[in-house]
């Protein structure tokens, strides 16, 4: 549908909709029609909706415009700890220009408690300019209590911006939000189109502006892509309920079977209040990038929030905020139309792939005997993992823990940022006591007390 | 070519080039190849070139990033008076945040004198952060002395940003520029793609950023459009020299014939140092919007810089800066491949269209007799055009000038912003003496002394 609409609009909608000649007027009609279609799917008025070049730009420009419009009201921005990185980029720009940012924490499922959101609104309430909350998390699929947050914001006169990128293809965002953003390629539409809805009455001052998109999204409109975006949103919505139920069943199967098939796995996110198509899990003693490449060889295209797969060597901020394991992290996103047989084949392939990676890394199961030998050589109760990257520090900890007397402490030295997240997460999974960290001569010393 | 490349890239390049699975790697290869192709056409290194969502965004982000990168060097921005409005939008945002902006004037052809540019660099030189100059003007086609400006900037250690939107399809921008912007749809590429080149060694600090496009253009890449943009740029360049010569001949014909065929026309812009495909002229006593609609009915799609066709009721800032007539303004842009027969038909149609619009408006030629009668009724030497829009004030001035004794003054009262430009321009065209303006009880009083 997106492709058909794009091709048609390449013929009919190449001209500048700001021009008065016939090709321009035709382009204007197409743009108006696309805006009406998309606004209906969003649940707003057409004149409240602007098309932006991407979801990221909608977030950057939406947050900046709302903060500028509310500058006299305050300089405080409230965000959840698990927003999309584009929200944190906009927040960093806000801080750089003298504003403040407050983060609302999440629980281990990645969910913001409505009470925690309300509490953040009560802190320095006279200074709050804007609050942001995603409709659902992009890494673990957990659905957020947007309607409750919107009520709390409305009661305090604070505009709420909802990042609906993950959920808009499945349905409108309920509740009294003030601003909403989304991204067309997330619902199967084309690249190059984001949505920014700004409800009437919401103060908004973008800069710099031109005369396009009500002054909210400058630059020549990407009309063929906009037409494709609107048409595909309507199309996916028409079958959203049925497809959501089907994909939900497939994800339920992955959530249930992976921990049965693969030892030492943690499935992340809320098992009930979640997106239909997304599931994330982490495998102890596995390098996320190696796992991803092995799955790619088996023709499964998955993502990872492990630090090993990130150019910044920092693990996913979402997993970190949740306090769950990030090593060997895999995110499976089922496209609409995914066949159940593909999911079954994934479940067949996965255990062998994980075991293979663990074996190559010398993980505990594979080297039980070797570990016992190594333990004899361990010089006291310090594991030196300096210079070694995720998941090696945790693998080395797991190798020696059996040799630590119950009640005693082992110290892991590591300079890998992922260890900060993964050693406490391993302790939680393994029933050991994490005693905290302290700076070491090189890197950081993580202390773990053997409980059993 | 753009369409073929777009279609191919829809199949091969839909995935996220930041991902490690095979579809992502394939997308990355396409992106890298497009960047190499485009960089070769621009004349820069691939790692100096970022793809943005539009030419406007390239200008907004390029100017903001260069200003932020040079914040410690100074807060002064130099622009020519005839830049694209996106430059002035970025300049306004800079002023709003405490910066200063200096405008370099142009002559009646719309050209910046190299000496004037150099003089602007000598004013407050310790505070200059950035200088901007278009490669060629988007309304009148005049080519700017970019290489000279670049030399002057380089001598002073000031980065020069060149807006190459109008000329990049015809050839690279020579000279030691530091930043360059362009827009794909201007060379026949798709909507949704701009270019931002930042030479190595140029200080640049964009905000907010993500990990895409070297941190210079956030948001999911519009890869199919990027591939189409690069392929089409290479394709138009391959035949640019030949096509430029052909179109230059057609524009020469328009520039020569229009003043012969239509009385009271002023052709704008430099007749030699100009873009091959663009020509702009203004017709006295004509409403630009009416002219545009009549030409549209004759199947010619043209633009206008008259205030009557602008939603802001302000005439084109380019024509204003040049001090030339804006009423009845028509911009003809010949697409590549325009047939000579189409130009001949345009020249056939135009005189009748202009005469028709003039007749309906009661312009001098059409109502010579009526004007003489009206003159008898003229109450002294004041023409009250309050509440009347362009081109009526000039038409009424033209009607009475014959009745003003030589050496005497007639005063035109007008509250239309276009009169400020068009009454002096009319005086220049008609050999009358413009004596200046003063505020009146309502609107402005423009004084014209009859010379002959």
């Amino acid at each position: 549908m997106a492709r058909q609409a794009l091709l048609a609009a390449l013929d009919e909608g190449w001209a500048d909709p700001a021009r008065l000649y016939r090709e321009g007027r035709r382009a204007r009609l197409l743009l108006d029609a696309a805006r009406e279609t998309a606004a209906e799917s969003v649940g707003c008025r057409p004149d409240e909706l602007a098309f932006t070049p991407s979801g990221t730009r909608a977030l950057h420009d939406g947050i900046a415009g709302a903060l500028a419009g509310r500058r006299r009201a305050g300089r405080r921005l409230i965000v959840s700890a698990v927003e999309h990185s584009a929200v944190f980029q906009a927040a960093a720009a806000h801080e750089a220009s003298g504003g403040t940012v407050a983060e609302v924490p999440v629980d281990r499922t990645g969910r913001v408690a409505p009470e925690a959101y309300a509490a953040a609104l009560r802190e320095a309430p006279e200074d709050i300019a804007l609050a942001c909350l995603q409709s659902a998390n992009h890494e673990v699929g957990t659905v957020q209590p947007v309607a409750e947050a919107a009520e709390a914001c409305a009661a305090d006169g604070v505009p709420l911006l909802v990042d609906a990128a993950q959920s808009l293809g499945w349905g409108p965002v309920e509740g009294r939000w003030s601003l909403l953003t989304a991204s067309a390629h997330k619902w199967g539409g084309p690249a190059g189109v984001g949505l920014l809805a700004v409800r009437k009455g919401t103060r908004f001052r973008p800069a710099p502006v031109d005369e396009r998109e009500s002054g909210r999204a400058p630059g020549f409109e990407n009309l063929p892509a906009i037409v494709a975006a609107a048409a595909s949103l309507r199309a996916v919505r028409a079958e959203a309920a049925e497809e959501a139920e089907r994909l939900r069943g497939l994800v339920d199967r992955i959530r249930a079977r992976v921990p049965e098939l693969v030892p030492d796995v943690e499935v992340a996110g809320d098992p009930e209040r979640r997106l239909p198509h997304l599931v994330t899990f982490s495998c102890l003693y596995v390098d996320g990038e190696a796992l991803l490449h092995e799955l790619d060889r088996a023709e499964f295209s998955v993502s990872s929030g492990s630090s090993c797969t990130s150019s910044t060597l920092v693990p996913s901020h979402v997993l970190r905020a949740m306090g769950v394991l990030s090593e060997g992290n895999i995110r499976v996103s089922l496209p609409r139309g995914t066949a159940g047989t593909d999911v079954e084949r994934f479940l067949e392939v996965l255990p062998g792939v994980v075991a293979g990676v663990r074996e190559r890394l010398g993980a505990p199961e594979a080297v039980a005997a070797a570990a016992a030998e190594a333990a004899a050589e361990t010089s006291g109760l310090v594991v030196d993992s300096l210079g070694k990257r995720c998941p090696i520090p945790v693998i080395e900890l797991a190798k020696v823990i059996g040799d630590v007397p119950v009640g005693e402490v082992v110290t892991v030295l590591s300079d890998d940022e992922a260890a900060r997240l993964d050693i406490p997460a391993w302790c939680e999974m393994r029933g050991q006591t994490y005693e905290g960290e302290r700076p070491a001569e090189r890197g950081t010393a993580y202390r773990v007390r053997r409980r059993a």
Side-chain angles (χ1 to χ4, degrees), chain A residues 38-362:
Chain A
E40 196 187 329
S41 297
V42 169
C44 68
R45 291 166 38 167
D47 60 352
E48 293 172 332
L49 187 67
F51 294 106
T52 71
S54 66
T56 293
R57 296 269 180 166
L59 280 170
H60 286 176
D61 295 354
I63 291 171
L67 287 170
R70 293 261 302 168
R71 181 153 184 153
R72 288 187 186 174
R75 301 300 312 275
R76 193 173 172 85
L77 170 65
I78 296 178
V79 302
S80 90
V82 294
E83 297 298 315
H84 188 273
S85 55
V87 172
F88 290 107
Q89 290 148 12
H94 179 58
E95 278 183 319
S97 70
T100 58
V101 178
E103 262 185 41
V104 185
V106 296
D107 62 20
R108 274 185 73 84
T109 71
R111 184 172 164 93
V112 172
E115 309 75 50
Y117 214 86
L121 288 170
R122 283 194 300 272
E123 206 176 311
E126 73 295 343
D127 191 37
I128 299 174
L130 176 68
C132 297
L133 184 59
Q134 61 192 190
S135 57
N137 186 266
H138 49 298
E139 290 193 26
V140 299
T142 300
V143 168
Q144 304 294 356
V146 166
E148 291 96 317
E151 284 308 307
C153 286
D156 291 357
V158 172
L160 177 69
L161 183 151
V162 178
D163 170 10
Q166 292 301 319
S167 71
L168 199 68
W170 300 111
V173 174
E174 308 295 341
R176 290 199 284 164
W177 48 266
S178 296
L179 302 102
L180 181 145
T181 64
S183 173
H185 81 97
K186 292 288 178 190
W187 67 68
V193 183
L195 300 183
L196 171 60
V198 183
R199 289 259 197 235
K200 287 287 156 205
T202 307
R203 286 185 190 278
F204 195 79
R205 193 157 60 82
V209 302
D210 64 9
E211 77 287 0
R212 299 187 187 268
E213 295 299 295
S214 312
R216 285 176 185 159
F220 188 70
E221 288 95 345
N222 187 355
L223 190 52
I226 286 171
V227 169
S232 58
L233 179 55
R234 184 163 57 184
V236 297
R237 277 290 187 78
E239 50 194 33
E242 198 177 334
E243 183 66 359
E245 195 184 328
R246 200 180 68 83
L247 291 183
R248 181 171 282 277
L250 296 180
V251 166
D252 278 342
R253 173 124 178 105
I254 295 173
R255 292 185 71 97
R257 287 296 286 157
V258 164
E260 292 167 6
L261 294 166
V262 181
D264 297 321
V265 159
E266 182 172 25
V267 180
D270 194 301
E272 296 296 328
R273 292 176 292 198
R274 61 169 178 82
L275 291 169
H277 65 297
L278 203 68
V279 54
T280 294
F281 54 87
S282 298
C283 308
L284 265 181
Y285 318 132
V286 165
D287 165 353
E289 181 160 351
L291 187 51
L292 194 154
H293 283 305
E294 290 301 320
L295 287 171
D296 182 51
R297 286 175 58 177
E299 305 201 328
F300 293 104
S301 299
V302 300
S303 299
S304 173
S306 297
S307 66
C308 348
T309 48
S310 154
S311 54
T312 55
L313 298 180
V314 174
S316 145
H317 70 271
V318 171
L319 301 176
R320 194 163 43 183
M322 293 164 62
V324 298
L325 189 71
S326 80
E327 75 180 30
N329 177 262
I330 288 295
R331 175 161 84 250
V332 180
S333 178
L334 301 182
R336 285 156 203 268
T338 299
T341 49
D342 285 342
V343 169
E344 291 310 316
R345 199 171 75 79
F346 177 76
L347 292 172
E348 272 166 35
V349 163
L350 183 71
V353 165
V354 174
V357 174
R358 281 174 173 165
E359 190 172 341
R360 281 205 302 284
L361 287 169

